[in-house]
Amino acid sequence: MDRHGDIDTTLSDNPKRQPQDTTEKLVTPSDKPSSKPISADQPMLPFAADATHDPEDSLRNHGFANDEKHDSPSDSDAQLGDVSDVQNARPAADTSARKLTTTQAVIIFVTNEVGIGMLSLPSALNVLGFFPGLLCIVVLGALSLYTAYNLIQYWRKHPYMLNIVDYGRVLGGPWVEAIFAVGFLINMALISASALVTLTIGLNTVSEHATCTVAYTVVAAVAMWALCVPRSMRFVSWASWPCTASIIITVLLVMITLGVQGPRDINTPLNLKAIGNPNFTQAVSAFLNIAFAFAGNQAFPTVLAEMENPSRDFPRAVTIEKCITTTIYIIVASTVYALSGEQVASPAIGSLQPTMAKVAYAVSFIGLLGTGLIFGMTSARYLHVVFLRHINTLLSRKDSSRYRPSIASDPSRGRRSSVSVPPVSKKLDWGIWLFSVSLFWIVVWILANAIPVFNSLLNISSSLLLSWFTWGVTVLFWFHLNWHGKWRSSGKKLAVAGLNVFILALVLFLMVPGMYASIKTLLEIFADPNQTVNGPFTCADNSII
C-alpha cells in the first residue's frame, strides 16, 4: 500500500481524534473543551486557528506536506476530505439530518442552473448563428465542469469551509474574504432579481397588466421570501423536484407549441443563420447570456459542505449535472431557434402566440420560484453564519461567564481563523435567520426595480461578477494549490496552468467589454421611445404580448 493508503487507514481508524487534538493545541487551558463526547448539547469547538496556523499541520506527519498533485481525478489526496469530523466545521447537533446524498445534490445543482438562464439561449443562437452558438454552449459547459472540479480540490486541502466566501479567507485573509463577500452577495442578488423580473413579466402576461409592475415585484419577492424561511437544505432538495419539473414542462410546452402552431407571425420567414453577423455589442451580449446559463458554480460550495462525503460524491454529482444541463441547453436552444427563427424572444416564451404564452408562463412560475429559492437560500445561509459569528463575539464580550472564544473563533483574526458556527439560543438563531432572509430579499426587490430588463440583468450579472465566481476565482484556487514551482513541475502541470491562464483571460474579456456592452444596451432600451420600460421603478407593462 502506498503512503496515501496508509493515511486513509489512519484517519478512518480514529476519525474523531484528529479534530479534537487540533483544537486542544489551539485554545488556552481555560478554553479547553471537556472530554465529554460531542453532542447536541455540546457543540464542536472551532477547528482552525490564527493566522500562523497551517491547516495541513495535523496531517503533515502522514506525508501530505510534499504532495504536489491537485489537478487529477485519481489523486490520492482526494481522501483528505473523507474524515467525518473535519467534513463540516459546524456544531455537531442536527448535522446528520442535513447530509445530502449524491442524488439530492444533483437535483439541487440542476435546479440551480436549469432555470431562467435557459430561456435566453435561443435568442443567443439567433445573434451568433446556429453553429457558433452551440459551440459556445459546449465550451462554457466544459469549462464550468473543470472549474467546479477546482472547487473540490481546494476543499480537500481546507475541508472546514462552508461557502465560497470562506474560500476567499483561506485564499488571502480577511480583506479577500470581504471582497468575496460583497461580490458574492451582489451577484446572488442580481441572479435572484432576474428571477423576480421574469415572474413580473409572467404575471403581466397572464393578467394582461392588471396592476402596476412594482406591485407584482412585491408579490414575487414576498413569495420567494416565504420559500426561504424553512432553512433546511433538505427542504431545498425536495422542493427542487417540482421546480425542475416545472421548468422542463415549460420548455416542452414551448417546443411542442412552436412545432404545432409556429411562431407568433407564421407568415414571416424564419431566416435561420448558420453563422451570424452581429456587431460587437450584440455578440458580447449573446455570449454573456450563454455564460449566465452556467451560473450555478458559485452556489456549489454551500451544497458541498452539507454532502455526506463531498470528496467522493461531489465530482460525480457535478459531472452528472453538467452533462444533463449542457444536453438540455443544446436541445432547447437549437429546437426553439429552429422553430421560431428571427422571431425568437428572450425569454423564449415570448416566441409563442398569446394564448399559449400565457399558459407557458403560468406553468413556469413554480420553476422561477425554485430559482429564487436556491439562490436566496444560499445567500441567506451565508448571511446567517456571518451574523452568528459577530453576535456571538459581542455577547461574549458583555458576559465573561459565557464561553469565551479564542483567537481561533474570532472572525476578524487570521487567514485561517475558524469558519465554525458558534452556539446560540434557538430563539436568537431563528431571529437572525429571519433577518438574514428578509435583508436579502429587500435588496433583491430594489435591484429588480432599478434594472427592470431581463436581458440587461443577465448581462450585468454575467460580466460584473458571475464570470469571476463561476470561473475566475477557481483559477486563483488552482494556482494557490500549485504555487512555489508546482505549476511548472511537469508537462501536465504546464498544460493545466495554460488552461487556467486561458480561463482567466476569458473572464477579463467578459468583465471589461462585457460590462460596457451591458450598460450600453440598457441605456439604449431606456432611451428607445418604442419601449414601454423606460426607467427604474416603473409601472409600465413589461409583458411579451
Side-chain angles (χ1 to χ4, degrees), residues 15-54:
K16 296 185 179 293
R17 180 60 186 167
Q18 182 184 335
Q20 186 176 354
D21 290 345
T22 305
T23 308
E24 291 172 354
K25 296 176 183 178
L26 303 177
V27 298
T28 61
S30 60
D31 296 329
K32 185 175 180 179
S34 67
S35 58
K36 294 168 58 181
I38 296 174
S39 66
D41 300 324
Q42 185 182 5
M44 183 184 296
L45 291 179
F47 175 73
D50 60 13
T52 63
H53 173 65
D54 185 345

Side-chain angles (χ1 to χ4, degrees), residues 225 229 380 432-444:
W225 171 87
V229 170
I432 295 172
W433 173 253
L434 292 175
F435 176 75
S436 302
V437 174
S438 302
L439 176 63
F440 177 76
W441 283 109
I442 289 172
V443 172
V444 170

Side-chain angles (χ1 to χ4, degrees), residues 220-512:
V222 170
M224 292 181 175
W225 171 87
L227 284 174
C228 291
V229 170
R231 50 194 289 185
S232 169
M233 289 300 286
R234 291 183 70 94
F235 167 75
V236 176
S237 174
W238 287 112
S240 296
W241 285 98
C243 296
T244 303
S246 169
I247 292 294
I248 293 174
I249 294 172
T250 301
V251 169
L252 290 175
L253 187 61
V254 170
M255 293 190 292
I256 293 172
T257 302
L258 285 173
V260 174
Q261 295 183 346
R264 184 169 301 180
D265 187 356
I266 59 176
N267 297 318
T268 301
L270 296 179
N271 292 329
L272 300 176
K273 309 167 190 172
I275 299 177
N277 186 30
N279 59 37
F280 178 77
T281 301
Q282 293 171 336
V284 172
S285 297
F287 188 73
L288 287 172
N289 281 349
I290 297 174
F292 185 89
F294 295 99
N297 284 29
Q298 61 188 327
F300 288 0
T302 302
V303 181
L304 183 155
E306 301 205 22
M307 295 179 69
E308 287 182 345
N309 191 327
S311 188
R312 181 196 64 200
D313 296 340
F314 179 81
R316 177 168 45 190
V318 79
T319 300
I320 295 172
E321 180 270 328
K322 293 300 180 184
C323 291
I324 291 174
T325 54
T326 304
T327 302
I328 292 175
Y329 290 163
I330 291 173
I331 294 173
V332 171
S334 57
T335 303
V336 172
Y337 177 55
L339 294 174
S340 55
E342 286 187 331
Q343 296 184 58
V344 67
S346 180
I349 299 175
S351 305
L352 304 181
Q353 296 182 25
T355 301
M356 290 308 298
K358 292 181 180 181
V359 174
Y361 263 120
V363 174
S364 71
F365 286 158
I366 297 176
L368 293 170
L369 289 172
T371 300
L373 168 63
I374 293 289
F375 289 99
M377 184 72 77
T378 302
S379 305
R381 288 178 78 84
Y382 169 70
L383 288 172
H384 180 237
V385 170
V386 170
F387 292 146
L388 276 176
R389 291 171 184 165
H390 288 278
I391 287 177
N392 185 70
T393 301
L394 292 175
L395 293 176
S396 301
R397 291 173 180 173
K398 291 181 180 180
D399 186 2
S400 59
S401 64
R402 286 172 52 92
Y403 160 71
R404 181 172 55 84
S406 64
I407 292 177
S409 63
D410 185 350
S412 65
R413 293 289 299 264
R415 175 171 301 188
R416 298 179 175 89
S417 64
S418 174
V419 292
S420 65
V421 179
V424 294
S425 68
K426 184 173 292 186
K427 184 181 294 186
L428 178 59
D429 189 36
W430 269 101
I432 295 172
W433 173 253
L434 292 175
F435 176 75
S436 302
V437 174
S438 302
L439 176 63
F440 177 76
W441 283 109
I442 289 172
V443 172
V444 170
W445 179 82
I446 293 173
L447 286 173
N449 283 281
I451 312 174
V453 182
F454 177 73
N455 266 354
S456 295
L457 267 171
L458 264 60
N459 292 343
I460 290 173
S461 176
S462 298
S463 59
L464 181 62
L465 294 165
L466 183 148
S467 56
W468 274 105
F469 282 103
T470 302
W471 298 292
V473 296
T474 66
V475 173
L476 305 182
F477 298 157
W478 188 88
F479 277 108
H480 191 216
L481 289 175
N482 294 277
W483 205 238
H484 300 301
K486 293 181 180 179
W487 62 273
R488 51 185 170 82
S489 61
S490 66
K492 177 185 174 182
K493 288 283 188 179
L494 283 173
V496 177
L499 173 61
N500 280 278
V501 170
F502 168 76
I503 294 173
L504 188 60
L506 177 64
V507 168
L508 294 175
F509 171 79
L510 290 172
M511 183 178 179
V512 181

